[in-house]
Amino acid sequence: MPRWKALPEELDPGLAEFVEELRRLVDRSGLSVAAVADRTGYGRASWERYLGGRLLAPKGAVLALAEVTGTDPDRLTAGWELAERAWRRSETRQDTTGEALRIAQARRASTAPAPARAPGPGTRAGERLPGDAVAPGARDGAPGDRWRRPAVLLTALAGTLAVVLGAVWLTSDGERRPEARPGAKTPAAAASTAPSLPAGVRCAGDDCVGKDPERMGCGGARARTTTSVTVGTTLVEVRYSEVCSAAWGRIVRAARGDRVTVRVVAPAGATAQGRVQHGFVRDAADTDAYTPMVRVGGAGGAEVCAVLASGLDGCAE
């Protein structure tokens, strides 16, 4: 029975190549996945996701594997950077595909033909219902119909003209529009000045509050550890992403039941209920956990605290 399962067919070739390289390193080391998890400080369940192509291994885990297997860290880091770009491309394609499907569904719904109406009780065969289309050149039974049609059309045209003239008048000097305040930006101007985010980054500032930093593209190479402290054998880190204007807490070499909390300590404009976020180790196979994000104004705007199942606790500010 092969040791590794086949990688997902939809996996980007650049990412698949990097995952295969990680598998070869593990194979050459002779270590099991559990042993790799124990020696690198990242959970077994996490390594199973990394080596299965379901999640891109963070840079810290890759460097830890390089140390365990005696591999050149610079070479492995270069491969990780290529894989990280491939991962971002894959996320972008998924977003584009989902949007295209939604647009196609909306178009199909808007162009679907209206269901035919069944004749009501008492309607004679061949009798038209109100609103039924009439084929060009078809004659009505009543002899005066052909004279009444032009009159009806003229009446409709007159009504349409009145509506158009009224709309023109309302959008001219007669419209009661709110006065623009000096210096106020129009919606179009506000949209044009909104900062554009790098490819793969899905939020910034308040939009990131309470969200997963890895899924929103704020982690990996776009984040750094601003400060850390060791509690027992557990590493407690403050993680900060400048491009997302957000921070979160992370614990490494943790155990089931260990908890981590991040708290905003400097004014940042976030809502009160978004200033504290929590995370904890749920699975006995995992040895790391991180919190959702909080909005911060800079690298020194958050405090991360850990409370371990063993009773120890400590904070990194």
Side-chain angles (χ1 to χ4, degrees):
M1 180 178 180
R3 180 178 186 182
W4 306 111
K5 294 182 179 179
L7 293 174
E9 293 182 359
E10 66 275 11
L11 196 64
D12 187 283
L15 182 58
E17 182 178 353
F18 181 68
V19 174
E20 292 289 359
E21 175 65 16
L22 295 182
R23 288 180 172 186
R24 284 192 292 269
L25 291 178
V26 175
D27 285 337
R28 284 200 294 266
S29 71
L31 298 173
S32 65
V33 176
V36 170
D38 184 60
R39 297 192 184 190
T40 60
Y42 288 79
R44 176 176 178 176
S46 297
W47 272 112
E48 287 176 348
R49 290 192 290 268
Y50 305 154
L51 296 171
R54 299 192 301 275
L55 183 66
L56 176 64
K59 189 175 182 180
V62 171
L63 293 176
L65 181 63
E67 182 179 357
V68 168
T69 59
T71 306
D72 179 10
D74 293 335
R75 181 178 67 84
L76 207 55
T77 298
W80 177 85
E81 290 174 351
L82 294 175
E84 200 265 343
R85 287 196 287 271
W87 183 267
R88 290 204 305 267
R89 286 196 305 268
S90 177
E91 289 185 331
T92 302
R93 283 196 299 270
Q94 291 174 3
D95 292 343
T96 304
T97 302
E99 183 64 21
L101 288 174
R102 288 192 292 272
I103 293 174
Q105 291 171 353
R107 286 177 176 173
R108 285 197 297 270
S110 64
T111 58
R117 290 175 297 173
T123 303
R124 296 189 300 274
E127 182 179 356
R128 292 197 307 272
L129 296 173
D132 284 349
V134 181
R139 293 180 301 172
D140 289 337
D145 281 350
R146 58 182 172 177
W147 300 108
R148 285 195 294 270
R149 279 184 196 155
V152 172
L153 289 175
L154 288 175
T155 303
L157 287 174
T160 302
L161 182 61
V163 172
V164 172
L165 291 175
V168 171
W169 181 82
L170 285 176
T171 53
S172 62
D173 294 339
E175 182 182 7
R176 296 181 177 87
R177 294 188 296 266
E179 296 182 359
R181 293 173 297 177
K185 294 182 180 179
T186 63
S192 64
T193 57
S196 58
L197 298 176
V201 177
R202 301 180 178 181
C203 70
D206 288 340
D207 290 339
C208 292
V209 174
K211 296 179 181 177
D212 188 306
E214 299 296 335
R215 293 184 179 179
M216 302 308 293
C218 299
R222 297 191 180 91
R224 59 190 174 93
T225 298
T226 59
T227 185
S228 62
V229 65
T230 301
V231 180
T233 59
T234 300
L235 180 64
V236 183
E237 299 176 303
V238 178
R239 298 285 288 168
Y240 170 68
S241 173
E242 183 175 0
V243 69
C244 295
S245 297
W248 60 95
R250 184 173 73 179
I251 51 176
V252 181
R253 299 191 298 272
R256 183 176 183 180
D258 290 354
R259 296 180 175 271
V260 57
T261 300
V262 62
R263 179 175 64 89
V264 177
V265 296
T271 57
Q273 61 267 30
R275 290 180 173 271
V276 179
Q277 301 290 340
H278 307 276
F280 59 93
V281 180
R282 301 173 180 269
D283 196 327
D286 287 338
T287 58
D288 60 289
Y290 55 86
T291 70
M293 292 181 283
V294 295
R295 164 75 185 275
V296 293
E303 174 190 61
V304 174
C305 296
V307 178
L308 308 184
S310 62
L312 298 176
D313 62 84
C315 298
E317 300 183 12

